[in-house]
């Protein structure tokens, strides 16, 4: 069975601080996909990134960066110079090779204070 | 391009009633998935449809059902509602689930009293 753990349920930072959201996963599949989604108060889940299990390159997109380490089964997400608009709940998710269903972590609520 | 549209946004029902939720996927997307989000259980997969066929089903009782129409629009139905069915129901679509990220709608918030 697949499992995703986001140990941090809530994080509070002051604007411009860097923050890292942790994600640890469990799967027996050799091919799988990892995702991060953002859920603002409006409720919609916004896709941020997808990585497959064969691509361990770190990725940077503006203020966002992701660190995928297969050896520790982790896929961590860092926001650099956080802004108030980053306040949301962030979910890490895992799918099998077919991508037919996502297993979500419990989410991390990020609060960025001005 | 219009996003995933879910209707209605809010619903209040009483125990024992049934409810139907609707989802219109992004144009061209043929796969539609449904997820239930509750404070206690988090986000859980309900089922996924592709070309009018249910391809996967999560671990939910038979009171939860769905269908997909030829235009890819999908509905989910919950019969004999229970208090525990109160949740945010999220619909997601993708061109095909293989290697494609899911695009979610704003959800339907169901309250069962």
């Amino acid at each position: 069975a697949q499992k995703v753990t986001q140990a941090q349920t809530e994080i509070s930072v002051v604007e411009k601080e860097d923050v890292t959201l942790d994600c640890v996963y469990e799967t027996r599949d050799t091919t799988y996909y990892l995702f991060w989604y953002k859920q603002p108060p409006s409720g919609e889940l916004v896709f941020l990134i997808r990585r497959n299990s064969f691509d361990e390159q770190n990725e940077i997109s503006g203020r966002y960066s992701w660190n995928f380490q297969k050896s520790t089964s982790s896929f961590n997400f860092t926001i650099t110079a956080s802004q108030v608009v980053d306040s949301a709940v962030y979910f890490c998710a895992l799918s099998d090779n077919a991508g037919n269903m996502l297993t979500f972590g419990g989410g991390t609520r990020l609060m960025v204070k001005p | 391009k219009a996003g995933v549209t879910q209707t209605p946004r809010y619903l209040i029902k009483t125990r024992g009633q049934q409810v139907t939720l609707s989802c219109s996927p992004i144009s061209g997307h043929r796969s539609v998935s449904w997820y239930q989000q509750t404070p206690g259980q988090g986000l859980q997969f309900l089922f996924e449809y592709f070309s009018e066929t249910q391809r996967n089903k999560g671990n939910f009782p038979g009171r939860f059902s769905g269908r997909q129409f030829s235009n890819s629009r999908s509905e989910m139905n919950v019969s004999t509602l229970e208090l525990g069915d109160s949740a945010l129901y999220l619909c997601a679509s993708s061109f095909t689930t293989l290697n494609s990220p899911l695009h979610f709608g704003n959800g339907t918030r169901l309250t069962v009293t």
Side-chain angles (χ1 to χ4, degrees), chain B residues 3-57:
Chain B
V4 177
T5 304
Q6 291 187 247
T7 56
R9 286 298 308 275
Y10 302 93
L11 264 178
I12 299 176
K13 292 285 186 178
T14 57
R15 276 181 301 176
Q17 287 186 316
Q18 75 165 17
V19 66
T20 299
L21 312 182
S22 180
C23 172
S24 294
I26 291 172
S27 178
H29 284 191
R30 296 170 63 192
S31 170
V32 173
S33 304
W34 290 88
Y35 288 80
Q36 181 197 62
Q37 185 175 24
T38 60
Q41 300 299 318
L43 278 155
Q44 293 185 288
F45 172 76
L46 279 158
F47 27 64
E48 184 249 346
Y49 288 87
F50 183 83
S51 293
E52 302 178 65
T53 301
Q54 185 182 89
R55 291 202 295 193
N56 285 284
K57 192 176 192 304

Side-chain angles (χ1 to χ4, degrees), chain B residues 55-91:
Chain B
R55 291 202 295 193
N56 285 284
K57 192 176 192 304
N59 190 25
F60 278 83
R63 299 185 298 107
F64 291 81
S65 63
R67 59 178 176 169
Q68 186 180 33
F69 302 96
S70 57
N71 61 358
S72 294
R73 191 177 69 85
S74 177
E75 289 181 347
M76 68 163 279
N77 184 277
V78 188
S79 62
T80 320
L81 284 166
E82 300 176 0
L83 294 179
D85 297 333
S86 295
L88 179 67
Y89 290 89
L90 290 162
C91 170

Side-chain angles (χ1 to χ4, degrees), chain A residues 71-90:
Chain A
S71 60
T72 57
S73 297
S74 65
F75 186 43
N76 296 336
F77 172 31
T78 298
I79 301 175
T80 303
S82 59
Q83 300 177 0
V84 173
V85 293
D86 295 327
S87 297
V89 181
Y90 291 85

Side-chain angles (χ1 to χ4, degrees), chain A residues 33 37 39 44 50 98 100 102, chain B residues 35 37 56 97 99 101 106:
Chain A
Y33 292 84
Y37 281 88
Q39 187 175 41
E44 177 184 356
R50 177 190 69 227
N100 287 326
L102 293 180
Chain B
Y35 288 80
Q37 185 175 24
N56 285 284
T97 54
N99 303 317
N106 286 331

